[in-house]
Amino acid sequence: MNDIRRTILWVIFGFSMVLLWDQWQVFNGQKPTFFPSATQTAKAPAATAPAASASSVPSPAAASVAAPGTPGAVPAGAPSTAAAASKERVVVTTDVLALTFDTEGGTLVHSAFSKYKDMASKDAGFVLLDESANRVYVAQTGLIASGAGVAALPTHKTLMTLLPGERSLKEGQNELQLRFESADIGGVKLVKTYTLKRGAYDIAVRHEVINTGSAPVAPQLYLQLVRDGNKPPGESSFYSTFTGPAIYTDAKKYQKVEFKDIENNKVDVEKQATNGYVAMVQHYFASAWLLGDGLKRDLFLRKVDSNLYAVGMITPLDSIAPGASKSLDAKFFVGPQEEKKLEALAPGLELVKDYGWLTILAKPLYWLLDQLHSLLQNWGWSIVALVLLLKIAFYWLNAKAYASMAKMKAINPKITEMRERLKDKPQEMQQQMMKIYKEEKVNPMGGCFPIMVQIPVFIALYWVLLSSVEMPNAPWTLWIRDLSSPDPFYILPVVMTLTTMLQTALNPAPPDPMQAKLMWFMPLVFSVMFFFFPAGLVLYWITNNILSIAQQWVINTRMGVPPQFNLPKFR
């Protein structure tokens, strides 16, 4: 009867783990692994749908929708196909970027990175911005009127003229310019100039506003990123990374916002500032609009359409007299989350590389990893070297933990015999167990605390390896050609499973039989998950396991505890 009950409990426990994992996936915005449901895709614009007009658009108030006709409203960011016959797309290339601009608004609608390959097709550059049937992710700018009753001004929906010029960065050339010019709309002409530089992912964007009318004008400039709410293609189901908008200001620092919070009108971010940036973030890559410090700006997050969201900022321009012009310079970043380059571009921009709540530990770990790579020139061996250095740093803590485990292992036969003898007298058994611990001067928790102190460091290292854009397409040795992808032959996960089982066998077995079984069951569950983890993460875990086993073996030998393997007894 007890065996049947135990089997039923194990089945319930296993099924609960499956359900818990699926709910964890859903909570983190991922697809359920075992019980998938229908997913929402970005709403593609209908071929005959008219372009949204400035009189029927949402307000930039954070995550809210205003009534039609709101003064100062940013035009809806959803792509339009009404002017498909007259608008044109042009491709511009540098040594690191391939960008596609649309003459409708001079909008940036596609970006590919030549030095970072697509996860699915290794021959193609990674695509971040894209406006296609399945994806919407674009960078838009334009002008809005600052008062009621003012005529419409050039926006990202205005057809613009691309002036003649180079479309590709030539050998020996360090920069390339694109100049878009609008027609006279509402007595105002807008000229956008994009300046791309060699080796750079940041683009200088100058907006020149020319007053061609007979009265002064004081427009506002908006800069926004519009994206669908889908996770990036190829995102793993076994770990979750953040995808969505972010706002940074000196006052509230880095604030991530989930798409579902915009959908549910639960956004609480800084609304006004004179510094900072707005960004769209995903695993390894980001885009961001940057304005100089001291410029007033209104920050906004809003839902544009079904499964389509915008983050942006609006900055006022001073009054422009008739015949005069005013220019405002901004920067647009679109590229990989290379920490040192992001730090140099703007304060806090490196935070788009998301280490979570352990950033204070993760940043120095990344610095050390980067220094090791500059020495070893191989990210795989740099991971091994970093774990080795951490093990050396924590040697004495680990020594205390393993010494405590060795003592526990030495008295384990005595504990087992006592439990068998007093199995029908639980109170006396507990008293005898405490007596043995006191006589042998053993603290049953002595092996836990030193290890618990180290857990945050190794979790931080996990996030460093998971978040670092240097891992994709970075080889280690032999068959491992990409540290960000799972081992194609599952050799590393198998080795990790074996080392985890060996480490469990070397640990003292808990006196309670159910706890002993759980000690074997849980490592096996996590080992299965690692079959789908990036090779770099598995390599880090294997290195940690092997070094822990070696240290534990040495300490046991020094203390005269012969090597014993506590194999499971499932009955």
Side-chain angles (χ1 to χ4, degrees):
M1 188 68 183
N2 285 337
D3 287 342
I4 295 173
R5 187 182 303 151
R6 195 177 296 117
T7 303
I8 292 171
L9 287 173
W10 274 110
V11 170
I12 292 172
F13 176 75
F15 190 66
S16 299
M17 290 291 291
V18 168
L19 290 176
L20 186 62
W21 175 257
D22 260 16
Q23 289 306 307
W24 174 254
Q25 294 292 88
V26 172
F27 175 78
N28 285 290
Q30 297 275 11
K31 296 178 183 178
T33 306
F34 300 99
F35 303 99
S37 58
T39 56
Q40 188 181 27
T41 57
K43 182 179 178 181
T48 57
S53 63
S55 63
S56 61
V57 296
S59 161
S64 64
V65 178
T70 304
V74 176
S80 164
T81 56
S86 52
K87 67 181 182 177
E88 176 191 357
R89 291 194 170 182
V90 58
V91 177
V92 179
T93 58
T94 70
D95 57 326
V96 295
L97 287 169
L99 305 176
T100 302
F101 292 86
D102 196 319
T103 54
E104 183 183 57
T107 296
L108 184 50
V109 296
H110 189 274
S111 68
F113 312 126
S114 57
K115 291 188 177 180
Y116 294 90
K117 301 305 178 185
D118 186 79
M119 301 298 285
S121 174
K122 302 296 183 183
D123 297 328
F126 184 87
V127 173
L128 187 61
L129 302 184
D130 191 21
E131 186 181 76
S132 60
N134 299 319
R135 293 186 63 210
V136 176
Y137 187 177
V138 295
Q140 303 168 334
T141 70
L143 300 176
I144 48 179
S146 57
V150 180
L153 301 177
T155 71
H156 65 270
K157 292 182 175 295
T158 301
L159 197 62
M160 305 184 84
T161 302
L162 175 61
L163 301 184
E166 294 287 344
R167 301 291 177 262
S168 180
L169 198 64
K170 307 294 184 186
E171 191 70 31
Q173 187 180 2
N174 287 322
E175 69 175 40
L176 182 67
Q177 282 195 343
L178 272 83
R179 189 177 170 92
F180 292 91
E181 194 174 286
S182 78
D184 185 334
I185 298 177
V188 169
K189 181 185 286 188
L190 175 62
V191 180
K192 295 184 188 181
T193 305
Y194 294 89
T195 303
L196 291 77
K197 294 184 178 180
R198 181 174 296 278
Y201 294 98
D202 59 299
I203 305 164
V205 186
R206 168 165 288 191
H207 294 83
E208 184 182 4
V209 183
I210 305 168
N211 185 351
T212 59
S214 56
V217 292
Q220 300 175 85
L221 174 70
Y222 67 87
L223 312 157
Q224 69 177 3
L225 292 158
V226 179
R227 191 193 190 283
D228 60 61
N230 300 329
K231 286 284 186 179
E235 189 84 344
S236 173
S237 297
F238 284 86
Y239 55 86
S240 178
T241 56
F242 175 75
T243 298
I247 288 176
Y248 178 89
T249 62
D250 281 350
K252 288 198 173 182
K253 303 304 179 185
Y254 185 68
Q255 295 177 279
K256 300 184 294 185
V257 181
E258 297 282 353
F259 289 125
K260 63 183 178 183
D261 289 335
I262 302 175
E263 189 79 33
N264 298 327
N265 203 16
K266 293 182 178 178
V267 176
D268 180 23
V269 296
E270 192 86 349
K271 303 294 193 301
Q272 293 180 323
T274 57
N275 50 63
Y277 62 82
V278 294
M280 279 285 183
V281 182
Q282 67 183 61
H283 197 196
Y284 296 139
F285 300 95
S287 60
W289 279 111
L290 314 171
L291 275 177
D293 285 351
L295 292 173
K296 292 182 180 179
R297 66 206 72 183
D298 293 330
L299 308 169
F300 66 87
L301 288 149
R302 63 190 176 109
K303 180 180 178 181
V304 176
D305 205 338
S306 175
N307 196 38
L308 201 60
Y309 308 92
V311 60
M313 47 190 171
I314 302 170
T315 184
L317 301 176
D318 294 334
S319 180
I320 306 171
S325 66
K326 180 174 178 60
S327 296
L328 189 143
D329 292 325
K331 278 188 179 180
F332 179 65
F333 171 81
V334 56
Q337 296 167 6
E338 296 177 344
E339 198 164 323
K340 288 188 287 188
K341 290 184 179 179
L342 293 173
E343 286 175 348
L345 276 177
L349 188 58
E350 75 279 2
L351 296 175
V352 298
K353 184 178 179 181
D354 188 16
Y355 293 132
W357 60 280
L358 287 171
T359 298
I360 193 171
L361 295 175
K363 286 179 74 67
L365 285 175
Y366 172 78
W367 178 86
L368 184 54
L369 181 66
D370 187 54
Q371 296 302 308
L372 289 169
H373 177 259
S374 64
L375 181 67
L376 301 174
Q377 297 298 310
N378 182 292
W379 285 107
W381 290 119
S382 300
I383 292 169
V384 173
L386 179 57
V387 178
L388 178 60
L389 289 178
L390 288 175
K391 279 293 180 183
I392 293 171
F394 288 119
Y395 176 82
W396 293 111
L397 273 176
N398 284 322
K400 287 183 177 293
Y402 294 141
S404 179
M405 290 181 187
K407 288 180 181 179
M408 284 291 294
K409 199 162 192 175
I411 67 169
N412 211 38
K414 188 185 292 188
I415 295 286
T416 304
E417 182 276 328
M418 183 272 297
R419 286 181 64 89
E420 187 64 30
R421 179 165 42 86
L422 300 175
K423 60 183 177 182
D424 296 325
K425 301 176 181 179
Q427 191 171 353
E428 188 178 346
M429 180 198 301
Q430 200 68 24
Q431 292 172 349
Q432 284 295 315
M433 191 179 296
M434 291 299 104
K435 184 180 178 182
I436 293 171
Y437 288 153
K438 189 174 181 179
E439 289 174 352
E440 299 290 340
K441 297 180 181 180
V442 172
N443 180 359
M445 299 300 292
C448 297
F449 180 73
I451 292 175
M452 286 177 66
V453 171
Q454 303 171 54
I455 286 175
V457 176
F458 283 94
I459 293 176
L461 179 54
Y462 165 89
W463 280 105
V464 167
L465 299 179
L466 187 63
S467 304
S468 295
V469 73
E470 292 84 357
M471 298 301 120
N473 302 297
W476 175 41
T477 185
L478 299 176
W479 73 100
I480 302 295
R481 311 310 300 168
D482 183 353
L483 287 168
S484 70
S485 298
D487 183 340
F489 303 114
Y490 302 110
I491 296 172
L492 289 182
V494 168
V495 173
M496 201 216 76
T497 303
L498 293 174
T499 57
T500 303
M501 293 173 70
L502 177 58
Q503 195 173 13
T504 304
L506 286 171
N507 290 334
D512 182 64
M514 181 58 73
Q515 289 180 16
K517 290 173 184 177
L518 281 175
M519 273 191 67
W520 280 93
F521 182 74
M522 295 310 294
L524 286 174
V525 169
F526 287 111
S527 295
V528 170
M529 290 167 52
F530 271 81
F531 275 73
F532 306 94
F533 270 45
L537 285 174
V538 184
L539 176 62
Y540 139 68
W541 206 268
I542 290 173
T543 308
N544 185 58
N545 281 359
I546 291 173
L547 293 174
S548 298
I549 290 167
Q551 188 175 7
Q552 191 172 355
W553 192 289
V554 168
I555 289 171
N556 285 358
T557 304
R558 282 181 179 176
M559 295 187 67
V561 179
Q564 293 178 342
F565 297 97
N566 297 311
L567 300 176
K569 297 176 182 179
F570 296 104
R571 293 196 298 268

